Amino acid sequence: MTIKDTPEQWQVRASETPFVGNKTSVRTDDVVMPDGSVARRDYQVHPGSVAVLALDDQDRVLVIRQYRHPVRHRLWEIPAGLLDVPGENPLHAAQRELYEEAHVKAEDWRVLTDVYTTPGGCDEAVRVFLARGLSEAEGQRFAVEDEEADMEVARVPLTDLVQGVLAGDLHNNCLVIGVLSLVAARAGAGTDALRPAGAPWPARPFEA
C-alpha cells in the first residue's frame, strides 16, 4: 500500500461566507456524506503561508520571539508569513520574510516539508523551507509595526530546539515541524536529498 495523501472533493450542496476578515474568512459548506446525508462544515479560508528554518554554519537556527494574542503566549518561532498575492512564488515570499523579520539572506534553499496546519478547521497550507549560507542582508531594515515591533531575534543551537520541542516548552507548529523534519532528513537520505526550492506545490500552485 502506498502511503500518500490524495486529492478528493465531496459534493457541496450549498456554501456561504458569514465572515470576511482582513486576510482570512470563514466559510460554511453543506457537504454530502458517503451515506447521502448532508453535514454542515465551518472552516477558515486561508491564503497559505511560508516558513523558513534558517540554519547557520554553527548549526544554529534563527528564531524570533513574538506575542501571539489568540493563545496568550509569547512564542519562539521561525520566520514566516502569508502568501499575500495569489499565485505568488513561495520561495520569493520566504526570501522576503527572512529579510523583513531578520534582515538576513541565504544562498542555499530547499523545501523541507509541506503541511496543512489544521485540516479539520482551516485550509491553510504551509511550505517550510530550509535556508543555509546565511549572511546579513544589504539595504535598509524593514519597518515593523504592531506585534513585530516588540519581536526578539536569536540564534539557537538545533539540539536545544529539539530538546525544547520534546519537553513541551516550544509550541509553534512551523518551528516544531521544521526542527524535527531537519533532524529526520539528516537521519535519512541527508539534506542534499531534499526537494529543490522550486518544487511543485499542488496545495498552492504558483508561477515559476
Side-chain angles (χ1 to χ4, degrees):
M1 182 175 64
T2 301
I3 305 298
K4 182 178 181 179
D5 296 336
T6 55
E8 186 170 334
Q9 186 165 320
W10 292 3
Q11 180 185 358
V12 176
R13 287 273 178 85
S15 183
E16 59 185 49
T17 306
F19 171 79
V20 177
N22 185 32
K23 297 291 185 181
T24 66
S25 60
V26 173
R27 182 177 296 162
T28 299
D29 288 344
D30 291 336
V31 186
V32 179
M33 299 289 111
D35 64 358
S37 63
V38 177
R40 176 156 288 195
R41 293 290 177 261
D42 304 314
Y43 59 99
Q44 183 185 21
V45 178
H46 194 285
S49 306
V50 291
V52 185
L53 193 145
L55 189 71
D56 69 15
D57 56 7
Q58 298 180 51
D59 218 37
R60 299 177 303 176
V61 176
L62 190 154
V63 290
I64 58 177
R65 190 169 182 244
Q66 185 173 349
Y67 176 67
R68 294 299 188 182
H69 185 70
V71 296
R72 308 307 199 268
H73 269 70
R74 190 184 291 267
L75 300 178
W76 285 105
E77 307 178 350
I78 56 177
L82 298 176
L83 290 168
D84 295 314
V85 181
E88 182 178 17
N89 188 306
L91 174 60
H92 298 164
Q95 291 170 331
R96 180 189 67 234
E97 292 301 330
L98 186 60
Y99 171 81
E100 291 181 356
E101 295 191 351
H103 202 66
V104 165
K105 63 180 181 179
E107 296 301 322
D108 182 66
W109 291 80
R110 303 290 180 113
V111 174
L112 196 49
T113 191
D114 298 324
V115 296
Y116 290 115
T117 55
T118 327
C122 179
D123 71 352
E124 181 184 15
V126 179
R127 169 157 282 188
V128 183
F129 289 92
L130 172 64
R132 293 174 293 185
L134 308 185
S135 62
E136 193 75 7
E138 299 173 355
Q140 269 191 321
R141 287 187 172 272
F142 182 75
V144 295
E145 58 184 11
D146 300 329
E147 290 93 341
E148 291 184 351
D150 191 44
M151 197 164 57
E152 302 172 45
V153 180
R155 297 193 183 199
V156 178
L158 177 64
T159 53
D160 290 357
L161 294 178
V162 172
Q163 291 173 5
V165 168
L166 298 181
D169 295 331
L170 299 171
H171 308 89
N172 174 261
N173 58 355
C174 290
L175 182 147
V176 171
I177 291 164
V179 163
L180 298 186
S181 293
L182 177 57
V183 171
R186 285 179 167 179
T191 53
D192 288 342
L194 291 170
R195 287 171 290 160
W201 189 17
R204 293 294 185 274
F206 60 92
E207 299 176 4

